[in-house]
């Protein structure tokens, strides 16, 4: 998000804006920055605070934007401002312009130049398509009430009743699903017994109501059973490291380097995840292969890879194609669903610790509460990371943990000042990322991220007396210096 940009007071001349009126290029610049903030925050007050202006001033700018584009741009909902399809289509262009403005006035601070955000060397589409989402079109369910699931009901009938519980069933007083109801609903979907309309209705209604921890826990139970059935065995690891990132997330995946350090310390590490189903769907497989991390194409490959290398990467498409396709529904709905929250807690192996990243406070609590309902004893959620556990040592970081089943938050101070950016080719390309690991390129900032991320993982692993974070940093430093490169 952009920093404060000075005086955003709206132009007092109403003729400066609007279709067919005098075009004010200076005013357009203000409007672009205002729209970028509103798209990021989806809340006028929060966006105004980020921009350093008063809420009424931003409201006036929003009004001018609506006049200029002839579209409402946002509609209000219980979850804040919801972008219209028109402004969603503009989002990439608005973001790119805003980033370019930042880069122009703050040289060296643009981590992802807007004209080079897609590196074809590690943004690679999947080479073998996963099976399509299995569904079963169904006749409309009977008109019986939504309160009781009868043993003789078809899967479609059961799912219909769960949807009814969420919505207008029961006299119009919907409620969230229980753990058991959510588990049954997801089990029907994963078995390929759900009508596609039912899948959309279930996920859409959960999104509008806001997913609860019991619902996420129920989804995870069903997903875990589905994956366990495909594995056909129990796999034990020390570190379960989910890495489900957006295809639009272009920051370098330094956490792969850190995971190797943890494996070289003697711990078994399973990385598993996805970067969506679009043109960057094989990004994690590419970067794992570049570091000689075994990439598991089938579930049978995982135990062998862990036995040989103590580290492996398994894509969601390999673990569970049905879940992979459910995540891929984002391309149709353009919004996160409860599936995309539950998948972070999938835990295909019995890891001693699961490492997560969650920038939004609501997601941190959701994940930890769901993990507790699942009976997990140990979990560590980085409160400042987006979607994946990658530590940022240049600012204070809160770690939201479960320790032996009890909530335990730990705030770690900034470990150092952020080093200046190392001059490098524009973009976050694979050559640069590999060069930092091999030592061909020295980037103190990247090295600090890698070492501190490894320290976070080592610090989080339960067992024995444990270690302090300072001790973990010392071990991670030694591992970095002694790393075995490809």
């Amino acid at each position: 998000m952009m920093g404060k940009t000075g005086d955003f007071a709206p132009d007092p001349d109403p003729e400066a804006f609007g279709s067919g009126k005098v075009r004010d290029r200076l005013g357009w610049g203000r409007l672009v920055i205002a729209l970028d903030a509103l798209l990021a925050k989806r809340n006028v007050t929060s966006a105004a605070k980020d921009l350093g202006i008063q809420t009424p001033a931003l409201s006036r700018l929003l009004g001018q934007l609506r006049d200029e584009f002839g579209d409402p741009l946002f509609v209000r909902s219980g979850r804040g401002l919801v972008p219209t399809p028109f402004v969603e289509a503009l989002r990439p262009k608005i973001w790119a312009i805003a980033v370019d403005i930042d880069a122009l006035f703050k040289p060296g601070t643009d981590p992802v130049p807007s004209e080079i955000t897609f590196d074809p060397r590690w943004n690679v589409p999947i080479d073998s398509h996963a099976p399509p989402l299995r569904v079963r079109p169904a006749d409309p369910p009977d008109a019986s009430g939504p309160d009781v699931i009868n043993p003789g009901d078809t899967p479609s009938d059961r799912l219909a009743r769960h949807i009814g519980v969420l919505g207008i069933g029961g006299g119009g007083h919907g409620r969230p699903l229980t753990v058991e109801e959510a588990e049954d609903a997801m089990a029907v979907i994963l078995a390929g017994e759900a009508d596609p309309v039912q899948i959309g209705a279930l996920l859409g209604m959960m999104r509008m109501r806001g997913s609860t921890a019991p619902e996420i826990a129920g989804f995870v139970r069903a997903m875990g059973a589905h994956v366990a059935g495909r594995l056909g065995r129990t796999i034990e690891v020390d570190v379960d490291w989910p890495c489900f990132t957006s295809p639009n997330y272009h920051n370098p995946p330094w956490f792969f380097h850190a995971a190797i350090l943890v494996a070289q310390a003697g711990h078994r590490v399973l990385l598993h995840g996805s970067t969506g189903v679009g043109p960057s769907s094989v990004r994690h497989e590419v970067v794992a292969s570049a570091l000689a991390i075994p990439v598991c194409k089938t579930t049978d490959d995982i135990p062998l890879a862990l036995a040989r290398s103590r580290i492996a990467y398994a894509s969601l498409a390999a673990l569970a194609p049905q879940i992979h396709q459910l995540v891929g529904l984002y391309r149709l709905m353009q919004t996160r669903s409860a599936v995309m929250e539950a998948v972070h807690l999938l835990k295909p192996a019995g890891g001693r610790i699961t490492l997560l990243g969650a920038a939004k406070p609501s997601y941190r609590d959701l994940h930890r509460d769901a993990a507790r309902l699942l009976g997990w004893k140990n979990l560590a959620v980085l409160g400042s990371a987006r979607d994946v556990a990658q530590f940022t040592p240049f600012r204070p970081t809160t770690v939201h943990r479960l320790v032996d089943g009890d909530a335990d938050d730990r705030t770690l101070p900034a470990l150092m000042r952020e080093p200046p950016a190392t001059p490098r080719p524009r973009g976050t390309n694979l050559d640069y990322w590999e060069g930092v690991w091999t030592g061909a390129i020295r980037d103190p900032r990247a090295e600090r991220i890698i070492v501190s991320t490894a320290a976070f993982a080592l610090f989080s692993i339960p067992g024995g007396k444990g270690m302090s974070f300072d001790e973990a940093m010392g071990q991670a430093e030694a591992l970095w210096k002694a790393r075995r490169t490809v």
Side-chain angles (χ1 to χ4, degrees):
M1 183 59 214
M2 300 180 60
K4 296 182 180 179
T5 55
D7 181 11
F8 280 76
D11 194 313
D13 179 11
E15 295 298 313
F17 299 95
S19 177
K21 299 179 182 179
V22 178
R23 301 300 184 180
D24 182 347
R25 296 175 66 193
L26 180 61
W28 284 347
R30 290 199 298 270
L31 292 180
V32 166
I33 294 170
L35 184 53
D36 178 61
L38 288 165
L39 283 166
K41 293 298 183 180
R42 298 193 179 191
N43 180 281
V44 175
T45 302
S46 297
K49 183 177 180 181
D50 259 21
L51 295 172
I53 63 175
Q54 297 297 314
T55 300
L58 185 55
S59 294
R60 289 192 293 271
L61 286 174
L62 177 56
Q64 292 167 354
L65 281 160
R66 286 168 167 161
D67 289 342
E68 183 70 23
F69 288 113
D71 186 86
L73 303 181
F74 299 92
V75 294
R76 296 192 181 278
S77 77
R79 302 179 64 87
L81 296 177
V82 178
T84 65
F86 173 82
V87 78
E88 279 288 3
L90 289 180
R91 182 193 292 269
K93 185 178 293 187
I94 294 296
W95 179 84
I97 295 172
V99 168
D100 280 343
I101 291 172
D102 270 346
L104 179 64
F105 289 98
K106 297 179 181 179
T109 62
D110 176 14
V112 186
S114 60
E115 68 271 24
I116 307 180
T117 59
F118 190 88
D119 184 340
R121 286 205 58 201
W122 65 11
N123 287 317
V124 179
I126 197 166
D127 53 2
S128 60
H129 294 288
L133 183 68
R134 290 184 292 120
V135 297
R136 183 187 292 275
D139 294 328
D142 61 43
S144 58
D147 300 324
V148 178
I149 304 298
N150 299 315
D153 286 339
T154 66
S156 177
D157 290 338
R158 301 201 324 264
L159 186 52
R161 287 180 171 82
H162 294 317
I163 296 169
V165 164
L166 282 168
I168 63 173
H173 300 290
R175 60 167 174 79
L177 300 178
T178 65
V179 174
E180 292 74 21
E181 289 168 340
E183 181 180 8
D184 186 60
M186 180 53 63
V188 170
I189 294 172
L190 295 180
E193 298 291 338
D195 186 281
V197 173
Q198 291 181 309
I199 296 174
L202 178 77
L203 299 182
M205 294 176 73
M206 291 178 69
R207 173 67 179 176
M208 291 302 295
R209 293 182 63 90
S211 302
T212 65
E215 289 172 334
I216 297 300
F219 274 18
V220 174
R221 277 189 189 174
M223 290 178 174
H226 181 75
V227 171
R230 289 176 55 81
L231 285 170
R233 71 193 78 184
T234 300
I235 301 173
E236 295 295 333
V237 297
D238 297 304
V239 180
D240 172 64
W241 207 319
C243 41
F244 295 89
T245 57
S246 164
N248 298 321
Y249 182 73
H250 297 287
N251 288 350
W254 302 118
F255 60 91
F256 272 89
H257 297 331
I260 290 183
L261 298 183
V262 175
Q264 291 181 357
H267 301 289
R268 289 159 62 91
V269 180
L270 178 59
L271 295 147
H272 58 96
S274 168
T275 53
V277 297
S280 61
S281 55
V282 190
R283 183 190 305 160
H284 286 164
E285 287 91 326
V286 171
V287 297
S289 297
L291 295 177
I293 296 174
V295 175
C296 302
K297 298 295 186 181
T298 70
T299 53
D300 292 335
D301 296 338
I302 299 173
L304 182 60
L306 289 170
R308 288 179 174 175
S309 304
R310 289 198 300 270
I311 187 170
Y313 173 79
S315 71
L316 183 61
L319 284 170
Q322 188 78 341
I323 302 176
H324 170 73
Q325 295 292 8
L326 283 175
V327 171
L329 291 178
Y330 178 86
R331 299 180 73 185
L332 295 178
M333 299 186 288
Q334 288 294 303
T335 187
R336 291 174 71 104
S337 72
V339 175
M340 300 176 74
E341 301 313 318
V343 77
H344 289 275
L345 299 174
L346 181 57
K347 201 173 183 179
R352 294 163 60 193
I353 187 70
T354 294
L355 307 178
L356 298 178
K360 291 187 177 181
S362 58
Y363 289 161
R364 302 168 206 159
D365 295 336
L366 187 67
H367 289 149
R368 185 163 62 178
D369 290 346
R372 186 180 288 160
L373 288 170
L374 292 164
W376 291 15
K377 295 298 183 183
N378 298 289
L379 172 76
V381 184
L382 277 178
S384 59
R386 175 182 171 182
D387 294 334
V388 68
Q390 180 168 289
F391 200 88
T392 303
F394 316 119
R395 58 175 180 260
T397 300
T398 300
V399 183
H400 306 266
R401 305 191 297 172
L402 282 179
V403 179
D404 293 329
D406 296 323
D408 180 85
D409 292 348
R410 181 74 61 87
T411 299
L412 301 171
L415 305 181
M416 62 203 74
R417 289 190 174 185
E418 184 168 3
T422 299
R424 60 178 180 172
R426 291 177 68 81
T428 54
N429 58 61
L430 184 61
D431 290 336
Y432 189 91
W433 180 83
E434 288 180 288
V436 171
W437 174 254
T438 62
I441 296 173
R442 289 299 312 278
D443 184 337
R445 183 182 184 279
E447 291 172 12
R448 294 303 88 200
I449 292 173
I450 295 165
V451 170
S452 60
T453 300
F456 161 69
L458 295 167
F459 167 71
S460 300
I461 297 173
K465 296 182 179 179
M467 64 175 72
S468 68
F469 195 82
D470 287 342
E471 292 170 332
M473 278 294 293
Q475 184 178 358
E477 289 277 10
L479 289 165
W480 174 252
K481 292 175 181 177
R483 69 191 182 280
R484 299 189 295 276
T485 59
V486 179

